[in-house]
Amino acid sequence: MEGTVDGFRYGAVTPVAAYVMACLGGALGLRCIVRSLLNAESWKPGWLALGAASIGCGIWTMHFIAMIGFQVEETRIRYDTGLTLLSLAVAIVVVGVGVFIVGYRGAGTANLAFAGIVTGLGVAAMHYLGMYAMRLNGAIDYDVFTVALSVLIAIVAATAALWAAVTVRGFLTSLGASLVMGVAVSGMHYTAMAAVSVHVHGTTGGSWAGASASSLLLPMLVGPVIFLVLAGVVVMFDPLLVLGDADWSRATARRKPAVPPAEEALAPAHSSPFETPVGPSRARQHPYDTPQRAAEW
């Protein structure tokens, strides 16, 4: 028997909340990656890792917030805890691979294409691994064409996100890029969900292994959300992340104290390493400072 699938159980609440989390993760991740590029003295691996974790947590949180609104009317839905956590690890790791490639090797065509494909396939793998973690009294079928379309959207979204990460500098432009990322990631998710159909085995209501959506997903979402909030605090208290390259340079120039011209003068060069540099006051006291005094001496 074909089950009645509904992806919007709570109306617009779950799609909007999922989109907001995708945008938040994208915005924080972009700013952290930009931070590693603006200052050569910063700890680059740390900033890139924080950016990858922010984007990965944002994508994973978006997916499972959206899944809270997914139901099959004829059967309950439960989730395998181990596979659900594994999907979070996959999201962070694959985004990290793409971020470190473009962070260290640049956004050349070959690097960007390779990193985008790897990251996009990883994001799609995270989604379908999360779907595989579902436990219900039935079998889930997928439309092959729609699945392929969702994977293509994931690759394009990942490539665009990585390009923005190494190209966009200003705060407002990063914010705009994160909004576009949110649309792309949410579009990938709901395209993939459009490929789903469920064949229910029966309406016996028997139990099966796994935790319900409310008992598993809501508590598990707390951790990534707290992480994103903490990452947001790091961004807010770093002026270089908030201002951007040009504004930070101007602010630094305004705060830099003026150096008196006398202190900027360089000591005269000497032809021999054994010559002793003589300052202006010392030169006036030397008996040979003028030809006339040298003759008198």
Side-chain angles (χ1 to χ4, degrees):
M1 180 179 66
E2 289 297 320
T4 305
V5 176
D6 182 10
F8 304 94
R9 180 180 182 180
Y10 301 104
V13 174
T14 50
V16 171
Y19 173 74
V20 169
M21 295 308 300
C23 292
L24 177 61
L28 295 176
L30 289 180
R31 297 312 295 163
C32 291
I33 296 170
V34 167
R35 179 64 171 80
S36 71
L37 301 176
L38 289 181
N39 188 353
E41 298 179 355
S42 63
W43 187 39
K44 193 170 187 177
W47 284 111
L48 292 177
L50 181 60
S54 298
I55 296 175
C57 284
I59 294 173
W60 185 87
T61 306
M62 180 278 307
H63 169 79
F64 282 102
I65 287 179
M67 290 306 297
I68 292 176
F70 178 81
Q71 69 170 352
V72 180
E73 292 185 3
E74 291 80 7
T75 179
R76 292 177 297 170
I77 297 176
R78 296 180 180 271
Y79 290 87
D80 181 91
T81 304
L83 290 176
T84 303
L85 291 174
L86 180 60
S87 67
L88 173 60
V90 168
I92 295 175
V93 170
V94 297
V95 172
V97 170
V99 165
F100 272 80
I101 289 175
V102 298
Y104 278 97
R105 302 181 63 89
T109 303
N111 293 332
L112 191 60
F114 177 72
I117 291 173
V118 171
T119 306
L121 291 176
V123 171
M126 179 278 300
H127 173 89
Y128 288 105
L129 184 59
M131 295 295 294
Y132 184 69
M134 293 175 58
R135 299 290 182 264
L136 48 79
N137 189 29
I140 300 177
D141 297 321
Y142 296 93
D143 179 74
V144 177
F145 174 79
T146 310
V147 169
L149 179 60
S150 69
V151 173
L152 179 62
I153 294 174
I155 293 175
V156 173
T159 304
L162 294 174
W163 173 85
V166 295
T167 304
V168 173
R169 290 291 183 270
F171 178 78
L172 293 179
T173 50
S174 292
L175 180 61
S178 67
L179 296 178
V180 175
M181 282 177 57
V183 172
V185 173
S186 299
M188 177 269 166
H189 172 83
Y190 285 105
T191 299
M193 294 307 296
V196 174
S197 60
V198 177
H199 180 77
V200 181
H201 294 159
T203 57
T204 57
S207 62
W208 52 90
S212 64
S214 59
S215 63
L216 175 65
L217 296 184
L218 289 177
M220 290 182 66
L221 289 171
V222 173
V225 169
I226 292 176
F227 172 81
L228 292 175
V229 171
L230 294 177
V233 171
V234 173
V235 171
M236 289 174 61
F237 282 91
D238 192 316
L240 185 56
L241 284 174
V242 176
L243 293 176
D245 192 13
D247 294 336
W248 172 258
S249 299
R250 289 194 294 268
T252 304
R254 287 195 298 266
R255 291 195 302 267
K256 185 178 180 180
V259 180
E263 297 180 12
E264 294 180 344
L266 299 177
H270 303 281
S271 59
S272 171
F274 300 102
E275 292 183 19
T276 303
V278 180
S281 60
R282 175 63 178 166
R284 286 193 297 269
Q285 299 174 4
H286 199 281
Y288 295 100
D289 58 350
T290 63
Q292 293 79 2
R293 294 185 63 183
E296 295 174 358
W297 183 265

